[in-house]
Amino acid sequence: MRYLTFVDESELKATTAVLIKTSYFNKEELISHYINPLEELGISKDSIIAFDLLYENNKITASKAKKYLEGLLRALTKLGVSNILVCDATYFKVLTGLNKADSHIGYINPCKIRGFEHFNVCYALNYAVFLRNPNQVSRLDLALKTLA
């Protein structure tokens, strides 16, 4: 489990976590697509931490995702995080118990994993979508505004 902070760790007051697939776990891209826009919406970068999401050979099963999330959610609880921006449909579905992700952009959903119901979960597109379809930017904007 890797993480990134966007301020010196001694200044971190994490309340929001951004979760994204390891292959897109790039600090500059995260800053450009998530951190800077969230700051413009009033969420300070000292309150944001990013974690990568486990994938094996570019695949993840729901059961493996749930097992990985249980460890990650324990860590997020210890940090004081209450809001999760998840940029992956499979992990969003596991976190929320919902069958679809795209139709839930613009909504905050409770975490359905037992013991972690205190987390608010917001689905956002992975920035890689914009490489193929730049018209999707408005959907990311909606998710970020919802989180803020």
Side-chain angles (χ1 to χ4, degrees), residues 34-67:
Y34 305 101
I35 307 310
N36 287 344
L38 285 171
E39 270 207 305
E40 290 174 14
L41 293 166
I43 297 178
S44 175
K45 65 182 171 186
D46 68 356
S47 68
I48 304 171
I49 189 167
F51 284 87
D52 68 336
L53 295 172
L54 175 72
Y55 266 78
E56 297 170 344
N57 299 320
N58 215 27
K59 295 180 184 176
I60 190 72
T61 63
S63 61
K64 284 186 180 183
K66 185 174 182 182
K67 183 175 175 141

Coordinates of all heavy atoms in Angstrom, one line a residue, residues 34-67:
Y34 N -6.9 16.3 -9.5 CA -7.7 16.2 -8.2 C -7.4 17.2 -7.2 O -8.2 17.9 -6.7 CB -7.6 14.7 -7.6 CG -7.9 13.7 -8.6 CD1 -6.9 12.9 -9.3 CD2 -9.3 13.4 -8.9 CE1 -7.2 12.0 -10.2 CE2 -9.6 12.4 -9.9 CZ -8.6 11.7 -10.5 OH -8.9 10.7 -11.4
I35 N -6.1 17.3 -6.8 CA -5.7 18.1 -5.7 C -5.9 19.6 -5.9 O -6.6 20.3 -5.2 CB -4.2 17.9 -5.3 CG1 -4.0 16.4 -5.1 CG2 -3.9 18.7 -4.0 CD1 -5.0 15.6 -4.2
N36 N -5.4 20.1 -7.1 CA -5.6 21.6 -7.4 C -7.1 21.9 -7.5 O -7.6 22.9 -7.0 CB -4.8 22.0 -8.6 CG -3.3 22.1 -8.3 OD1 -2.9 22.1 -7.2 ND2 -2.5 22.1 -9.4
P37 N -7.9 21.1 -8.3 CA -9.3 21.4 -8.4 C -10.0 21.4 -7.0 O -10.9 22.2 -6.7 CB -9.9 20.3 -9.3 CG -8.7 20.0 -10.1 CD -7.5 20.0 -9.2
L38 N -9.6 20.4 -6.1 CA -10.3 20.3 -4.8 C -9.9 21.6 -4.0 O -10.7 22.1 -3.3 CB -9.9 19.1 -4.1 CG -10.6 17.8 -4.6 CD1 -10.0 16.5 -4.0 CD2 -12.1 17.9 -4.3
E39 N -8.6 22.0 -4.1 CA -8.2 23.2 -3.4 C -9.0 24.4 -3.9 O -9.5 25.2 -3.0 CB -6.7 23.5 -3.6 CG -5.9 22.9 -2.6 CD -4.6 23.6 -2.4 OE1 -3.8 23.8 -3.3 OE2 -4.3 24.0 -1.2
E40 N -9.3 24.5 -5.2 CA -10.1 25.6 -5.7 C -11.5 25.6 -5.1 O -12.2 26.6 -5.0 CB -10.1 25.6 -7.2 CG -8.8 26.0 -7.8 CD -8.8 25.8 -9.4 OE1 -9.9 25.6 -10.0 OE2 -7.7 25.8 -9.9
L41 N -12.0 24.4 -4.8 CA -13.3 24.2 -4.2 C -13.3 24.3 -2.7 O -14.4 24.1 -2.0 CB -13.9 22.8 -4.6 CG -14.2 22.7 -6.1 CD1 -14.4 21.3 -6.5 CD2 -15.4 23.6 -6.5
G42 N -12.2 24.6 -2.1 CA -12.1 24.8 -0.6 C -11.6 23.7 0.2 O -11.6 23.8 1.4
I43 N -11.1 22.6 -0.4 CA -10.5 21.5 0.4 C -9.0 21.7 0.3 O -8.4 21.6 -0.7 CB -10.9 20.1 -0.2 CG1 -12.5 20.0 0.0 CG2 -10.2 19.0 0.6 CD1 -13.0 18.7 -0.6
S44 N -8.4 22.0 1.5 CA -7.0 22.3 1.5 C -6.2 21.0 1.3 O -6.6 19.9 1.7 CB -6.7 22.8 2.9 OG -5.3 22.9 3.1
K45 N -5.0 21.2 0.6 CA -4.2 20.0 0.3 C -3.6 19.4 1.5 O -3.2 18.2 1.5 CB -3.1 20.3 -0.8 CG -2.1 21.3 -0.3 CD -1.2 21.6 -1.5 CE -0.2 22.8 -1.1 NZ 0.6 23.1 -2.3
D46 N -3.6 20.1 2.6 CA -3.1 19.4 3.9 C -4.1 18.5 4.5 O -3.8 17.7 5.4 CB -2.6 20.5 4.9 CG -3.8 21.3 5.5 OD1 -4.9 21.1 5.0 OD2 -3.5 22.1 6.4
S47 N -5.3 18.4 3.9 CA -6.3 17.5 4.4 C -6.5 16.3 3.4 O -7.4 15.5 3.6 CB -7.6 18.2 4.6 OG -8.2 18.6 3.3
I48 N -5.6 16.2 2.4 CA -5.8 15.1 1.4 C -4.6 14.2 1.4 O -3.4 14.7 1.4 CB -6.0 15.8 0.0 CG1 -7.1 16.7 -0.1 CG2 -6.2 14.7 -1.1 CD1 -7.2 17.6 -1.3
I49 N -4.9 12.9 1.3 CA -3.9 11.9 1.2 C -4.3 11.0 0.0 O -5.5 10.8 -0.1 CB -3.6 11.2 2.5 CG1 -2.4 10.2 2.4 CG2 -4.9 10.4 2.9 CD1 -1.9 9.7 3.7
A50 N -3.4 10.4 -0.7 CA -3.8 9.5 -1.8 C -3.1 8.2 -1.6 O -2.0 8.1 -1.1 CB -3.3 10.1 -3.2
F51 N -3.9 7.1 -1.9 CA -3.4 5.8 -1.8 C -3.6 5.0 -3.1 O -4.6 5.3 -3.8 CB -4.2 5.0 -0.7 CG -3.8 5.3 0.7 CD1 -4.4 6.4 1.4 CD2 -2.8 4.6 1.4 CE1 -4.0 6.7 2.6 CE2 -2.4 4.9 2.6 CZ -3.0 6.0 3.3
D52 N -2.7 4.1 -3.4 CA -2.9 3.3 -4.6 C -3.8 2.1 -4.3 O -4.0 1.7 -3.1 CB -1.6 2.9 -5.2 CG -0.8 1.9 -4.3 OD1 -1.0 1.8 -3.1 OD2 0.0 1.1 -4.9
L53 N -4.4 1.6 -5.3 CA -5.3 0.4 -5.2 C -4.7 -0.8 -5.9 O -4.2 -0.7 -7.0 CB -6.7 0.7 -5.9 CG -7.5 1.9 -5.2 CD1 -8.7 2.2 -6.1 CD2 -7.9 1.5 -3.8
L54 N -4.7 -1.9 -5.2 CA -4.2 -3.1 -5.6 C -4.8 -3.6 -6.9 O -6.0 -3.7 -6.9 CB -4.3 -4.2 -4.5 CG -3.8 -5.6 -4.9 CD1 -2.3 -5.6 -5.0 CD2 -4.3 -6.6 -3.8
Y55 N -4.0 -4.0 -7.8 CA -4.4 -4.7 -9.0 C -3.4 -5.7 -9.3 O -2.2 -5.4 -9.2 CB -4.6 -3.8 -10.2 CG -6.0 -3.3 -10.4 CD1 -6.5 -2.2 -9.6 CD2 -6.8 -3.8 -11.4 CE1 -7.8 -1.8 -9.8 CE2 -8.1 -3.3 -11.5 CZ -8.6 -2.3 -10.7 OH -9.9 -1.9 -10.9
E56 N -3.8 -6.9 -9.8 CA -2.8 -8.0 -10.2 C -3.0 -8.2 -11.6 O -4.1 -8.7 -12.0 CB -3.0 -9.2 -9.3 CG -2.7 -9.0 -7.8 CD -3.2 -10.1 -6.9 OE1 -3.9 -11.0 -7.4 OE2 -2.7 -10.1 -5.8
N57 N -2.0 -8.0 -12.4 CA -2.1 -8.2 -13.9 C -3.2 -7.4 -14.5 O -4.0 -7.9 -15.3 CB -2.2 -9.7 -14.2 CG -1.0 -10.5 -13.8 OD1 0.2 -10.0 -13.9 ND2 -1.2 -11.7 -13.3
N58 N -3.4 -6.2 -14.0 CA -4.4 -5.3 -14.4 C -5.8 -5.8 -14.2 O -6.8 -5.4 -14.8 CB -4.2 -5.0 -15.9 CG -4.6 -3.6 -16.2 OD1 -4.6 -2.7 -15.4 ND2 -5.1 -3.3 -17.5
K59 N -6.0 -6.7 -13.1 CA -7.3 -7.2 -12.8 C -7.4 -7.3 -11.3 O -6.4 -7.4 -10.5 CB -7.5 -8.7 -13.3 CG -7.5 -8.7 -14.8 CD -7.6 -10.2 -15.2 CE -7.6 -10.3 -16.8 NZ -7.6 -11.6 -17.2
I60 N -8.6 -7.2 -10.8 CA -8.9 -7.4 -9.4 C -10.3 -8.0 -9.2 O -11.2 -7.6 -9.9 CB -8.8 -6.0 -8.6 CG1 -8.9 -6.2 -7.1 CG2 -9.9 -5.1 -9.0 CD1 -7.6 -6.8 -6.5
T61 N -10.4 -9.0 -8.3 CA -11.7 -9.5 -8.0 C -12.3 -8.8 -6.9 O -11.6 -8.1 -6.1 CB -11.6 -11.0 -7.6 OG1 -10.8 -11.1 -6.4 CG2 -10.9 -11.8 -8.7
A62 N -13.6 -8.9 -6.7 CA -14.3 -8.2 -5.6 C -13.8 -8.7 -4.3 O -13.6 -7.9 -3.4 CB -15.8 -8.3 -5.8
S63 N -13.5 -10.0 -4.2 CA -13.1 -10.5 -2.9 C -11.7 -10.0 -2.5 O -11.4 -9.7 -1.4 CB -13.2 -12.0 -2.9 OG -12.3 -12.6 -3.8
K64 N -10.8 -9.9 -3.5 CA -9.4 -9.4 -3.2 C -9.5 -7.9 -3.0 O -8.8 -7.4 -2.1 CB -8.5 -9.7 -4.4 CG -8.1 -11.2 -4.5 CD -7.0 -11.4 -5.6 CE -6.7 -12.9 -5.6 NZ -5.6 -13.1 -6.5
A65 N -10.4 -7.2 -3.6 CA -10.5 -5.8 -3.4 C -11.0 -5.6 -2.0 O -10.5 -4.7 -1.3 CB -11.5 -5.2 -4.4
K66 N -12.0 -6.4 -1.5 CA -12.5 -6.2 -0.2 C -11.4 -6.5 0.9 O -11.3 -5.7 1.8 CB -13.7 -7.1 0.0 CG -14.4 -6.9 1.4 CD -15.6 -7.7 1.5 CE -16.3 -7.4 2.9 NZ -17.4 -8.2 3.1
K67 N -10.7 -7.5 0.7 CA -9.6 -7.8 1.6 C -8.6 -6.7 1.7 O -8.2 -6.3 2.8 CB -8.9 -9.1 1.2 CG -7.9 -9.6 2.2 CD -7.3 -10.9 1.8 CE -6.2 -11.2 2.8 NZ -6.1 -12.5 3.2

